[in-house]
Amino acid sequence: MLAVYPETIELIVKEYEATDGIRAAEVDWWRGDGLPFGAVVDRVGRADLFGKRHPHQRRLSMDALEAGAAALHAISGKLQKAVDFYELWQLVQSAFRPIYGLGELAIYDAAERLRYRLELESEHLIYLHAGARVGARRLAGGRLKKESAWGILRYDVPIGLRRLCTHEIEDVLCIYKDELLLSPQEFRARRSGSSGPGCGQQREIRPGC
């Protein structure tokens, strides 16, 4: 692992935790308390966040999303019986794999959103997809071991990140992939909208990858 700046990691975690309220509202939406499980599957399959397409899936066709929703409905019983996040992720992966356009990000996102309703969590393994993999690769010095391409363990990330749950760490690796190795001064400069001394407009805090 490359040497990282503990203070930068602390700044990143602090900024990330400042968006807890936004993420909590999204969790409540995906969990859908009081709704039948089928309604939650519809939301997840169609990437419907508060009635709008989730930004992660904005480029996917509605045909692909509808096919994904149908594929999840077809295995609804299996999804509800999943005993851990790994099984849930595998079920979604098998359901989405034949559908053009639904790649690893769509697979992870769907599993991540369903897990709130199903109350499942990955305790030790941090699952990787395109963006999060870039962040993990940078922390690893530019290359991940072959067996780590789809997931790394909690002890593979800097100590400052380990106070977050594995799913939050995945989010941070994706959101902050371009900033993980910055010095504290460089990170603060980016946040002030400046590449050097001086003032700039404060950048908006990003609620999710």
Side-chain angles (χ1 to χ4, degrees), residues 1 7-8 11 22 33 58 72 76 78 134 143 151 160 169:
M1 180 184 297
E7 186 180 350
T8 299
L11 290 169
I22 297 173
D33 288 342
R58 66 184 180 278
L72 293 178
S76 177
K78 292 181 179 179
V134 172
R143 178 176 295 182
I169 295 172

Side-chain angles (χ1 to χ4, degrees), residues 10-58:
E10 182 66 26
L11 290 169
I12 286 172
V13 171
K14 183 177 180 180
E15 181 179 284
Y16 179 77
E17 290 179 333
T19 65
D20 281 349
I22 297 173
R23 292 196 306 281
E26 293 188 7
V27 169
D28 288 344
W29 174 262
W30 297 122
R31 188 168 56 230
D33 288 342
L35 295 177
F37 186 67
V40 173
V41 169
D42 280 335
R43 286 181 176 181
V44 171
R46 294 169 181 155
D48 172 8
L49 177 62
F50 305 133
K52 296 182 179 180
R53 180 88 62 89
H54 191 285
H56 277 192
Q57 283 74 47
R58 66 184 180 278

